[in-house]
Amino acid sequence: MPKNILFIIDDLELKYFEFNDLITDFWLIKEFLKRDNNVSIAIKSDLFIEKAQGCVFSRTSYLKNENIFYNKETTKHIINDFDVVFFRSDPPVDINYINACYVFDYVNRSKTMLINDPSEIRNFNEKFHINYFPEFTPENIVTSNSNFITRFVEKHKEAILKPLNKCFGSEVYYLNYEDKNLLTIIKNMTEDDKRAVMVQEYLNEAKFGDKRVLIIGDKVMEECIQKLPAEHNFKFAEHSDQYFRKTLLTDNERKMAESIARKLSKIGLYLVGIDVINEKAIEINVTSPCYFIREINKNYGICFENTIMAHLETLIENYFERIKPYAFNK
C-alpha cells in the first residue's frame, strides 16, 4: 500500500533539490516516488507546535523525466498525517537543530514511524557516544581541559581532535606532540578550556582513508566504500570520484557493525553510517548519514538504491506490524 512520507532535509538540499545525485535523499525520494508513494519535503524551520501537536509546513514532490521536483507552495499538516518521516537534516547540532527535534516529542509513534527518531538523535552524539561501544573504538577522551588534551597527545604522539556537533570533517585537526602550534590549536578549539571536544588516538591506517559501513535497521550492508584523504590533507574532505574506492568488509567489521546495529535499531536509529579505520569505529553517524549510492553503483556495477529500498520497505512494514496492537488499543 502506498505511504504518505515526509522528508526533513537540509536547507542546502532544498536549494539544490533537483538533479543532485550526490545526496542520499535524492535517491530515496526518487525511489519512493517511483513506487507510487506520496512524498513531501520540509526543512527544520518548517516544523512547529500547534494545539500540543507536532506540525509542519511541507511541499509535495513529484517525479518527471527520471528527476525529482517539488511544488513551491507549502501546506500545513499535523506530522501524524504522515506514515513515515525521514529526519535527515545535517549538523551542526545547534539550538535550532535541538528545537526541531523537540517538535517530535509531540508526535505519536504508534501512528508515524520516525527514521531516525529525532528524540534519539538528540540523545546520541555521533562522536561522544562511540563510547557506548568501547571495545570497538580507538582510545579517546572528551574534555575541554587543554592540559588533559596535551598529556593525551604526548602519550600517543599523534591524535585527532574533533568538535562534537559538526559534520563533513569540519574543524577536525591532526595533532602532533612536536608541533609548536599544538597548544594554540587546542586552546582555539576548546575556546580557552570552555568547549568540550573529542580527542582520539591517531591510527596510522588513516593514511589509506576510512571505510563507510552502512546499516539499515539491524542489517549491515555488504556494499561499502573507502573514502580517501584529499590531496594535501590527512582526511576525506572532497566529494569527488577520485577519492572513493570499492572495499570489502572484514569479518571483525561485520561483527562490530552487527553489534552496533542491534543496539541502535532498538531505540529508533535505523539509518546509520559507521566510519571505520583498522577495524575501529571512529564515528557513528546517525543525523543524516550519506549512503554514497552513486559511488557504490559506479564501483560495484549495481543499483544500490534497489537494495536500500528493499530493506527500508521491510523495515517500515515490520514496524507497523509490531505496533498494530498498541495502535488499536489507543
Side-chain angles (χ1 to χ4, degrees):
M1 180 181 295
K3 295 281 192 295
N4 292 318
I5 299 172
L6 172 67
F7 275 78
I8 308 299
I9 63 176
D10 197 65
D11 297 36
L12 199 60
E13 287 184 36
L14 182 67
K15 183 177 180 180
Y16 300 106
F17 186 72
E18 297 89 355
F19 317 112
N20 196 351
D21 65 356
L22 289 176
I23 304 298
T24 299
D25 291 336
F26 170 92
W27 292 91
L28 299 184
I29 291 169
K30 181 178 178 180
E31 292 304 313
F32 275 117
L33 287 170
K34 286 172 69 173
R35 289 160 173 78
D36 296 325
N37 296 281
N38 303 309
V39 182
S40 297
I41 60 171
I43 55 177
K44 295 191 303 291
S45 57
D46 291 320
L47 298 164
F48 64 99
I49 297 289
E50 185 180 43
K51 297 179 181 178
Q53 292 181 306
C55 302
V56 63
F57 294 111
S58 64
R59 307 151 183 84
T60 57
S61 66
Y62 59 95
L63 194 63
K64 182 179 178 182
N65 298 328
E66 287 297 302
N67 282 298
I68 55 174
F69 302 88
Y70 70 93
N71 295 313
K72 303 303 186 281
E73 291 186 8
T74 62
T75 305
K76 185 170 79 171
H77 286 279
I78 298 168
I79 293 174
N80 278 132
D81 289 343
F82 297 95
D83 300 302
V84 184
V85 177
F86 285 83
F87 187 89
R88 290 186 48 81
S89 188
D90 291 340
V93 181
D94 54 16
I95 189 60
N96 294 325
Y97 198 108
I98 297 299
N99 286 339
C101 290
Y102 283 143
V103 171
F104 289 86
D105 291 347
Y106 299 88
V107 173
N108 186 339
R109 284 145 176 82
S110 70
K111 296 180 179 178
T112 302
M113 183 182 189
L114 304 178
I115 306 174
N116 288 329
D117 191 317
S119 297
E120 298 302 333
I121 291 176
R122 187 179 69 213
N123 293 333
F124 188 97
N125 182 281
E126 297 181 326
K127 281 81 170 177
F128 212 113
H129 288 108
I130 65 169
N131 288 298
Y132 278 157
F133 310 96
E135 69 274 29
F136 301 134
T137 64
E139 187 176 344
N140 69 85
I141 56 174
V142 180
T143 180
S144 60
N145 187 303
S146 58
N147 289 330
F148 188 26
I149 295 172
T150 301
R151 290 196 298 272
F152 183 90
V153 179
E154 288 175 348
K155 172 186 174 183
H156 291 282
K157 309 307 180 187
E158 299 172 286
I160 299 297
L161 183 150
K162 304 177 180 182
L164 296 176
N165 69 334
K166 301 291 182 73
C167 66
F168 304 128
S170 176
E171 296 183 22
V172 175
Y173 284 89
Y174 165 82
L175 304 179
N176 188 301
Y177 79 108
E178 293 182 337
D179 188 347
K180 295 186 184 300
N181 288 311
L182 177 63
L183 188 58
T184 299
I185 295 170
I186 294 170
K187 285 288 188 181
N188 284 341
M189 288 302 297
T190 61
E191 298 175 0
D192 287 325
D193 294 40
K194 294 188 287 292
R195 180 175 74 155
V197 296
M198 167 167 275
V199 186
Q200 289 180 337
E201 65 172 312
Y202 178 75
L203 302 174
N204 286 326
E205 292 79 6
K207 60 178 175 270
F208 304 117
D210 63 279
K211 188 180 295 188
R212 172 59 60 91
V213 182
L214 301 168
I215 293 169
I216 300 176
D218 59 2
K219 306 296 183 185
V220 177
M221 304 295 100
E222 286 298 320
E223 299 85 355
C224 56
I225 207 82
Q226 191 88 6
K227 299 177 288 164
L228 307 179
E231 191 174 0
H232 306 303
N233 207 329
F234 68 93
K235 63 190 176 186
F236 171 75
E238 189 174 338
H239 203 133
S240 173
D241 287 348
Q242 63 183 306
Y243 298 114
F244 294 100
R245 296 287 185 276
K246 177 181 177 180
T247 188
L248 301 173
L249 289 178
T250 67
D251 289 340
N252 287 338
E253 287 167 344
R254 189 178 297 103
K255 290 174 184 175
M256 173 185 68
E258 287 170 350
S259 178
I260 292 171
R262 283 193 296 270
K263 181 164 185 174
L264 297 190
S265 64
K266 287 178 181 176
I267 60 173
L269 297 175
Y270 304 110
L271 285 181
V272 176
I274 310 172
D275 290 328
V276 176
I277 297 176
N278 195 30
E279 299 185 336
K280 295 284 187 181
I282 62 167
E283 198 162 308
I284 300 175
N285 301 279
V286 302
T287 51
S288 55
C290 181
Y291 271 55
F292 297 103
I293 296 170
R294 190 188 74 167
E295 290 75 22
I296 287 177
N297 283 351
K298 181 175 181 180
N299 281 275
Y300 279 80
I302 61 173
C303 295
F304 189 45
E305 63 273 23
N306 293 331
T307 302
I308 292 174
M309 288 303 298
H311 286 293
L312 280 177
E313 288 174 336
T314 299
L315 181 72
I316 292 167
E317 186 177 313
N318 289 344
Y319 179 86
F320 285 107
E321 283 296 321
R322 286 197 307 273
I323 67 169
K324 266 183 181 178
Y326 176 76
F328 180 78
N329 291 333
K330 295 292 281 188

